[in-house]
Each structure stands twice: as C-alpha cells, then as structure tokens.
Amino acid sequence: MSQSINDIQDEIVEDFSMYEDWNDKYEYLIEFGKSLQKLDEQYKTEENRIHGCQSKVWLQPEIKDDKLFFYADSDAIITKGIVGLLVKVLSGHTPKEIADSDLYFINKIGLQEHLSPTRANGLLSMIKKMKTYGIAFQAR
Amino acid sequence: MSLNIQQIRADFPILNEKIRGKQLVYLDNGASTQKPQVVIDTESYYYEHQYANIHRGVHYLSQIGTDLYEGVRKQVQQFINAKHDHEVIFTKGTTNAINLVAYTFGRKFIDEGDEIVITEMEHHSNIVPWQMLCEEKKCVLKYIPLQADGSINMEDAEKLITPKTKLVSVAYVSNALGTINPIEELTAIAHKNGAKILIDAAQAIQHFTIDVQALDCDFFVFSGHKIYGPTGTGILFGKEDILNEMPPYEGGGDMIKTVSFAGTVFNDLPFKFEAGTPNIAGCIALGTAIKYVQDLGIDNIRAYETELLNYATEKLSAIEGLKIYGTAKHKSSVISFLLEGIHPYDVGVILDNQGIAIRTGHHCAQPVMDCYKIAGTCRASFAFYNTKEEVDILVEGILKAKKMLS
C-alpha cells in the first residue's frame, strides 16, 4: 500500500530534523530544487501559471486512475525546492485526500515564512490551487 | 563636516536588533528608512501628554496640538523653501499626493487629447494614477524612454514634451535604479511648452537640499517614512495660484467654511485639501525627523552616502557574474543588481538568513524591468547610518549566496 499524505509529511519532517541550521536546510532545498525535473515548456502556459510578483510558479494537474498527479516548476530555485516538496506530499493521491489534507509539514520544517502572502512567491496560491483541483476533480 | 556614524547608529534602536541570531544589516532604505529614538519619542510623548483633535477645540490640548501640527507645516515650508506655508499640504504619503493631483488638477485641467509625460523609470504610483485619469478623460500618457545606463536622453524629452503636454510628472530619483533625473532641465522644457511639472521626490527628499522656488516646479511630493519619519505622512507642495484653482479632493470636516443643504463653501488653503482628522502624531513626529536630518546636515549626509555608494559599487562590481542595473553618471545610493543565472528571490532569501535586508523583485517599477527584459533585481539601498563594514558583510553574503545557488 502506498504512503498516505501524512506519512510523506512525517518523513520530510524527519529528514529536516537532521539539519541543524538554515544553511543545511537551504542547501538541501536548493539541491532538491535542482534535482527536480523541469516542467516541459508546453505546460508553462498562462493557465498553469500561478501569479506571485517575485517568483513564477507553474502547476500542471493530471488525473490518472482516479488519482491526481501534479507537475510543477518555478523560476527561483528555493521556490522550486518547496514546490517540489508540496508535489511530493500531494501528488498521486485521490482528489478527496488532496482537498482534505492538512499541510503541517511546512511549519514543522520552519519554512512557513515562504508561505506568507508578503513573500509574493506564488506558493500560497499554489497550495490553494492544488486543493481547488482536488475539489474540482472530486466533483467529476 | 563629517558625520559620526557610530553616534548616529546609537540613535536608531532597531539597528541593534538581531535577525535570526545575526546582527541586522539594513540595506532596504529605498523601501523605507528606520526611525531615530527622537522621532519615536515625539510620537509617544504627543499621545501621552498632548493629544486631542486639532483645528477645533477651544481647550488647551487642542490648541497645543494645532500649534505643533501647524508648526511642522511652517518647518516643511522652510525645509523645501516654499513661498507660503499654505502651499504645504499634509497627505498620507507620495502615492496619496500624486493621486490628489491626478483627481483635482487632472480632472479640471486635462482633457481629451491632452498629453501627460512621465519617464519609463517611474514607480507604479506615478504611472497608475495617470493611466486611470487617461482612461476617464481620454488623454494620452507618454513616457521618456530609458537608455541602457538607466538615464533619460534630453533630446527624447524635448521631442515628447510639446504644447499638447499639460503635465510632466517625473521622479527626481529612480527607486529601482538610483538614477538622478535632470529635473531643472525637465522643468524648463515643461514650462517652455506651457505644461506644469510634478516632481516625485520620494527617493530624493532624504538625500538632497531642496528649494522648490529655485526649481520652479509646480508640484513637489514626498513621503515622511522615507526621511526617517512615521508612515502615513507625506507632503504635497503646490504653487499657491494652481492650488487655488484646483477643486478639493475629499469632502468632509476641516475642508469647509460653511455647510448647508443649499450648498457648501470650501475652506482656504491648505485646509481645502485636508478633509478629516489627519495623522496628527505622525505629522508632528515628521517635524522631528526633518529636524534630525537638518541637524546632521543634508550636504554631510549626501557626501557620506556618495562615499558609501562608490565603495559598494566598487566592491560589488568586483564579484564575478554580478551585473549592476543603473549605471547613470548621476546616481543616488541605490544599487540594483543580478547574479548571472540566479533568481533575485533566491539571493534575497539567502541574504535574509544572514540578517541582511535588501529588496528583491520589480520594486513597483515593472516597466523598468520590462525595459531590461528581466523579472526583477536585488536592490541594496544605503542610508547615512550604514557603514562600509556593512557593505563588506553584504559582499560576503552575496558570495555565499552565489556559492550556494550556482
């Protein structure tokens, strides 16, 4: 049986607990961001674009066997690292699980400041959009 | 006279703050400046000992407040060398002052087919109010284009400002690039064509000695919070005859002489433009901030900030892969830059984690970014309380960011 959303979150929290200071944490995020596959240019459309005035985020949803998958990218690498974590947590679950999820890992790993609306990096809107897709695909 | 920077730093309590366990290095002065203790004290003393509404009461406190508030108006008049104190209008800030002019002067004097000329380097607050006016009045907004170094070409200005131009509205200093515009020449060109000129001095008031009579500008606007004063305060200077011809902005208390259902008689200058209870404490503390700057000596400030700018420009230029945007000959203490192949947001995050505050993004000047075909920049902006040691910390921080992000 595949891992639940919370299992994945707990795993990330545990991974991050190894990092003692911000330096290690951000180095991990940067490396993770770099390791992620780039979103194909054809999906970097206005429709998939999430607006934030500092960094751009693109999110492409796909429904397969009743499960919702996400593919995402950002032009800023730290944002992309966090985007990657969100995709890792939510992608591949049912729309209902995604819509009902409580994303506590961001706070626990100390990255909540990136979700502040004043950061304007599109992450907060990305989470909202992922959940909106969850709700929308549930209704189908 | 040279400034005693350590003594000055002791006047700004926030500079002692630790950010994420690191000593704060505050290099976001273009966005807002920090407040000296005397400014904070003035505001709290007013609320603790002198507070009441102004311009209304016969009682002691109301009179004290009115005297202090009107005293700052006179102080600002002298600070910018306006002819009359009633040419000094208190506003909420630069944005509010520009909108006031757009809604009053713009609505009355600008008509279909008339032109308003700005530059490509304007802050959004000196673009959007004019776009809104153009939408309403079918007038035309034109801009003087940026050159590669971030300055404007006066030949372009001569071509664009014509007898069709009703208003020229330009930044004294670009917030995104630091370019100092030739406002004397622009004023002369505007007047030669029968146009009025508004100077957005949000990024200039804290750096230069201002003489609005010598400049001969028609409007001159700035924000209190950029000259070490409180947020929510600002000044609109306008020439008396023009202000008198302009209709009021907001209706309400203080801006009227008499009100009846048969009609209302508006108050005289400056009260005509000051409806409602203003930011009394903020305006009074703005007076203290201006006095603080005057005591240091604005020419001393300018000399020291230029020294810092030159030092920082030299140090940052030496970083491989770092490009400075805005290299005009005449610049204020602002450096916009990018590291090759690295997003400014990422640089800002890594610097923030080292206690270094800079601004990243488009700096509310998207057309500037479009002109350079970039999404944004990192911007370090310096004030007189910054030091060369802080510039060195910034350089170290950038090198670290570059290493982590490359």
Side-chain angles (χ1 to χ4, degrees):
Chain A
M1 171 153 172
S2 62
Q3 284 181 300
S4 72
I5 286 176
N6 287 359
D7 289 342
I8 304 170
Q9 294 200 78
D10 293 340
E11 213 173 88
I12 294 171
V13 172
E14 205 184 320
D15 285 350
F16 268 78
S17 68
M18 296 187 313
Y19 304 125
E20 285 179 0
D21 63 1
W22 72 271
N23 207 45
D24 296 342
K25 200 155 73 181
Y26 279 92
E27 267 180 356
Y28 170 84
L29 268 183
I30 292 162
E31 288 316 311
F32 184 62
K34 284 181 190 165
S35 73
L36 294 169
Q37 230 182 346
K38 284 195 168 68
L39 188 67
D40 199 286
E41 286 300 318
Q42 63 168 318
Y43 297 120
K44 288 189 181 176
T45 59
E46 197 50 40
E47 201 196 335
N48 286 342
R49 162 102 189 261
I50 292 162
H51 283 270
C53 72
Q54 294 245 13
S55 53
K56 294 175 191 165
V57 172
W58 294 271
L59 178 70
Q60 164 77 15
E62 189 188 12
I63 194 96
K64 245 188 323 198
D65 304 332
D66 295 333
K67 288 194 174 150
L68 185 50
F69 291 82
F70 293 111
Y71 308 92
D73 208 343
S74 173
D75 57 349
I77 199 73
I78 292 172
T79 308
K80 187 173 174 179
I82 302 171
V83 161
L85 289 177
L86 288 166
V87 169
K88 186 174 168 179
V89 167
L90 293 182
S91 188
H93 297 278
T94 65
K96 186 177 180 346
E97 284 165 345
I98 291 166
D100 296 343
S101 64
D102 168 25
L103 296 172
Y104 54 80
F105 81 102
I106 300 272
N107 267 304
K108 286 204 171 172
I109 62 178
L111 292 175
Q112 64 279 11
E113 69 203 52
H114 289 278
L115 297 187
S116 143
T118 60
R119 285 278 180 148
N121 55 15
L123 280 171
L124 197 63
S125 315
M126 175 177 166
I127 294 177
K128 278 188 197 145
K129 200 154 183 187
M130 287 169 118
K131 291 200 168 195
T132 308
Y133 279 128
I135 295 164
F137 282 107
Q138 226 177 304
R140 284 188 190 181
Chain B
M1 193 194 84
S2 69
L3 300 173
N4 182 340
I5 304 304
Q6 287 317 313
Q7 201 178 317
I8 288 170
R9 288 182 68 82
D11 293 338
F12 289 80
I14 206 167
L15 299 179
N16 293 319
E17 284 296 308
K18 294 261 190 296
I19 304 294
R20 306 173 200 283
K22 316 245 173 27
Q23 184 59 48
L24 167 67
V25 175
Y26 186 77
L27 302 176
D28 195 16
N29 296 287
S32 198
T33 53
Q34 299 297 348
K35 318 304 168 201
Q37 189 65 52
V38 283
V39 168
I40 301 165
D41 288 347
T42 301
E43 191 153 349
S44 52
Y45 187 86
Y46 176 68
Y47 279 125
E48 284 165 15
H49 301 284
Q50 300 167 316
Y51 182 74
N53 210 336
I54 55 168
H55 295 149
R56 297 164 168 76
V58 291
H59 60 81
Y60 179 79
L61 285 178
S62 177
Q63 284 178 22
I64 283 198
T66 305
D67 288 350
L68 290 167
Y69 185 81
E70 291 304 320
V72 174
R73 196 188 305 276
K74 284 200 172 61
Q75 193 190 344
V76 172
Q77 176 208 344
Q78 287 158 8
F79 184 54
I80 61 173
N81 196 32
K83 202 168 178 183
H84 308 287
D85 61 357
H86 56 254
E87 292 177 320
V88 173
I89 313 292
F90 285 114
T91 69
K92 288 186 283 186
T94 302
T95 301
N96 180 227
I98 295 175
N99 276 283
L100 189 160
V101 175
Y103 273 84
T104 58
F105 176 85
R107 279 197 177 151
K108 180 150 180 192
F109 295 105
I110 300 178
D111 292 310
E112 188 170 344
D114 288 344
E115 295 178 357
I116 299 165
V117 176
I118 61 172
T119 76
E120 198 172 6
M121 73 180 85
E122 300 308 320
H123 187 282
H124 294 164
S125 55
N126 195 25
I127 302 175
V128 183
W130 309 121
Q131 286 179 326
M132 289 161 72
L133 181 69
C134 287
E135 180 99 342
E136 187 185 318
K137 303 278 282 192
K138 309 286 173 235
C139 48
V140 182
L141 184 63
K142 293 193 162 176
Y143 64 87
I144 306 168
L146 271 177
Q147 304 184 101
D149 69 351
S151 66
I152 53 166
N153 180 335
M154 292 315 284
E155 280 174 24
D156 291 335
E158 290 269 11
K159 268 182 226 152
L160 284 157
I161 302 168
T162 70
K164 282 177 136 180
T165 310
K166 283 287 161 73
L167 181 75
V168 176
S169 190
V170 288
Y172 196 146
V173 173
S174 152
N175 73 310
L177 303 168
T179 313
I180 301 170
N181 277 319
I183 53 165
E184 294 88 350
E185 286 176 66
L186 288 165
T187 302
I189 299 171
H191 286 168
K192 191 176 74 187
N193 285 285
K196 305 293 184 213
I197 186 161
L198 182 151
I199 309 288
D200 169 0
Q203 299 289 340
I205 192 71
Q206 64 281 51
H207 305 298
F208 310 127
T209 303
I210 303 296
D211 183 338
V212 291
Q213 289 186 75
L215 279 173
D216 196 29
C217 56
D218 302 288
F219 301 106
F220 186 93
V221 299
F222 64 89
S223 297
H225 74 95
K226 299 217 199 243
I227 182 164
Y228 312 96
T231 56
T233 63
I235 297 294
L236 161 67
F237 156 83
K239 282 182 182 165
E240 181 186 32
D241 53 337
I242 305 171
L243 291 178
N244 271 328
E245 283 183 53
M246 280 158 47
Y249 182 36
E250 294 173 319
D254 236 23
M255 57 77 73
I256 47 86
K257 267 185 185 155
T258 57
V259 177
S260 75
F261 288 111
T264 289
V265 180
F266 301 128
N267 208 337
D268 297 326
L269 293 177
F271 310 111
K272 183 170 101 177
F273 295 107
E274 293 182 4
T277 298
N279 181 358
I280 308 166
C283 289
I284 292 170
L286 172 62
T288 307
I290 290 173
K291 183 172 185 308
Y292 182 87
V293 166
Q294 284 177 308
D295 288 347
L296 292 180
I298 207 125
D299 293 335
N300 300 326
I301 291 172
R302 173 103 183 100
Y304 177 69
E305 288 174 345
T306 304
E307 193 183 317
L308 269 183
L309 173 70
N310 292 341
Y311 182 77
T313 304
E314 187 193 321
K315 290 278 171 178
L316 262 66
S317 303
I319 298 173
E320 213 189 307
L322 184 145
K323 184 177 174 189
I324 293 178
Y325 289 83
T327 51
K329 195 172 155 205
H330 301 290
K331 260 189 78 172
S332 161
S333 51
V334 168
I335 301 183
S336 245
F337 64 92
L338 279 179
L339 288 170
E340 199 183 346
I342 299 176
H343 198 285
Y345 180 79
D346 291 327
V347 176
V349 171
I350 300 300
L351 290 178
D352 176 50
N353 276 287
Q354 300 173 78
I356 306 166
I358 60 154
R359 174 129 183 223
T360 64
H362 54 57
H363 318 298
C364 296
Q366 280 180 342
V368 174
M369 304 302 137
D370 292 346
C371 175
Y372 287 109
K373 298 189 171 51
I374 51 178
T377 68
C378 304
R379 182 189 71 182
S381 46
F382 307 94
F384 54 69
Y385 43 61
N386 291 127
T387 64
K388 287 186 181 171
E389 289 72 36
E390 288 182 315
V391 173
D392 294 338
I393 295 169
L394 170 68
V395 170
E396 285 304 310
I398 294 171
L399 288 172
K400 186 176 175 73
K402 191 184 156 193
K403 193 169 157 230
M404 286 179 79
L405 294 161
S406 292

